[in-house]
Amino acid sequence: MVWRKLGAGNFSNCPNGSIQWIWNVFGECAQDGWDEASVGLGLVSIVCFAASTFPQYIKACKTGNMDQALSLWFLLGWISGDSCNLIGSFLADQLPLQTYTAVYYILADLMMLTLYFYYKFKKRPSLVSAPINSVLLFIMGTVCITPLLSSTGLEAAPRELFRGRTLLSVEPGSKPFTKQEVIGFVIGSVSSMLYLFSRLPQIRTNFLRKSTEGISYSLFALVMLGNTLYGLSVLLKNPEVGQSKGSYLLHHLPWLVGSLGMLLLDTIISIQFLVYRSHATSPEHEPLLPS
């Protein structure tokens, strides 16, 4: 994990031919071209995720109707999924690139929520703004303290094997699940469900409005590209020495399901953009010119 303090001598545990700088920066053993491609695609996916929210920020400032265009449940589901993803990625011993992505995206989510409530309360001041701000501060505090708690737990607690279920039992060529990883696996599964369900309120909002006005399509386009590259980066990564490909995929399954599942739902939103845009520009909806 990227948050652990790894000694320089640990690089000797990597297979021969591993790239030193990738270990120094990401703590990963890049054995061959597949691992290098995994790291490269992961980095590009982070760039896509990082850039995706900026078009929506600009769109919100231009239109001023972000509170009408975006569903609040969409934003809350998104930040809840990212929060679970961050905690799960620490506990389930996920790739460092997954942790990088989770940390940044929570910060971007908080910015999106800030803009949402800014425009909402700017138009309709409400007494509930203080409790909402308190909730946001609580989420931010949780995000900031999680790495510290996780780091302490990793150093203090021994990594015990969990053999409670057949699906997670230790088989030849598999990496055993620890209790900590099982908790992370469950949290990651919850995160994937939150990601998937977060899209449904937005799809419903677009359908009821019969419009995607006020939403930047670049937000979803870049997230789709980021999820595609992210999924490929996980799939291209070689398993650890002595670990089977099936065991590797099982360890990363919740994050893959969340990533690839969001692609399907974001495709539906993309179709809504095309349908409602063509509907808005059709001749019957154009204003009549005075004779």
Side-chain angles (χ1 to χ4, degrees):
M1 295 299 295
V2 69
W3 302 105
R4 299 180 194 172
K5 295 182 179 179
L6 299 171
N10 287 335
F11 179 69
S12 61
N13 296 328
C14 291
N16 294 331
S18 299
I19 301 175
Q20 178 77 54
W21 75 266
I22 293 180
W23 171 263
N24 292 337
V25 176
F26 303 108
E28 295 187 43
C29 296
Q31 306 174 35
D32 53 23
W34 293 108
D35 285 341
E36 293 179 49
S38 172
V39 172
L41 290 175
L43 288 173
V44 176
S45 73
I46 291 178
V47 173
C48 292
F49 287 133
S52 64
T53 52
F54 288 100
Q56 185 59 49
Y57 299 155
I58 297 173
K59 191 81 169 182
C61 294
K62 287 183 177 179
T63 62
N65 69 339
M66 185 172 173
D67 58 312
Q68 299 175 7
L70 291 179
S71 168
L72 175 59
W73 292 109
F74 163 65
L75 296 176
L76 292 178
W78 206 347
I79 193 172
S80 298
D82 283 333
S83 299
C84 289
N85 182 46
L86 176 62
I87 298 172
S89 64
F90 277 114
L91 297 180
D93 198 20
Q94 295 301 294
L95 302 181
L97 288 175
Q98 293 172 266
T99 306
Y100 283 133
T101 304
V103 170
Y104 172 82
Y105 227 64
I106 287 180
L107 299 177
D109 294 343
L110 289 171
M111 183 63 184
M112 293 271 280
L113 279 170
T114 300
L115 286 173
Y116 177 92
F117 288 119
Y118 170 77
Y119 287 110
K120 187 176 185 65
F121 297 136
K122 183 179 179 181
K123 300 173 184 176
R124 297 179 296 276
S126 173
L127 296 176
V128 300
S129 58
I132 292 176
N133 290 335
S134 300
V135 171
L136 294 180
L137 288 175
F138 173 77
I139 294 175
M140 181 175 289
T142 302
V143 171
C144 293
I145 200 173
T146 296
L148 300 177
L149 295 177
S150 177
S151 176
T152 303
L154 285 170
E155 295 175 358
R159 299 174 66 85
E160 303 175 6
L161 300 184
F162 179 88
R163 304 170 185 265
R165 294 189 181 186
T166 304
L167 178 63
L168 303 181
S169 62
V170 181
E171 299 176 359
S174 68
K175 178 185 176 183
F177 278 84
T178 65
K179 288 183 178 180
Q180 191 174 42
E181 287 180 323
V182 171
I183 296 173
F185 189 92
V186 173
I187 294 176
S189 301
V190 174
S191 172
S192 296
M193 296 302 296
L194 288 170
Y195 281 141
L196 295 176
F197 283 114
S198 71
R199 292 304 196 265
L200 299 180
Q202 188 58 50
I203 293 174
R204 180 177 180 273
T205 297
N206 295 342
F207 177 76
L208 294 177
R209 294 175 66 225
K210 303 297 182 186
S211 171
T212 55
E213 182 184 357
I215 307 175
S216 173
Y217 179 66
S218 298
L219 168 66
F220 294 97
L222 287 171
V223 168
M224 290 175 67
L225 179 59
N227 276 315
T228 301
L229 297 176
Y230 165 76
L232 289 174
S233 73
V234 175
L235 293 175
L236 291 179
K237 174 74 176 175
N238 286 312
E240 296 179 10
V241 177
Q243 182 184 19
S244 67
K245 189 68 175 180
S247 174
Y248 170 81
L249 292 177
L250 178 60
H251 277 75
H252 295 82
L253 186 60
W255 289 267
L256 284 172
V257 170
S259 179
L260 300 179
M262 281 175 62
L263 277 174
L264 174 61
L265 295 178
D266 284 343
T267 300
I268 296 176
I269 294 178
S270 299
I271 295 174
Q272 288 183 320
F273 269 91
L274 292 174
V275 171
Y276 296 140
R277 180 174 297 177
S278 62
H279 183 71
T281 57
S282 60
E284 59 268 23
H285 289 85
E286 293 181 359
L288 296 176
L289 297 176
S291 55

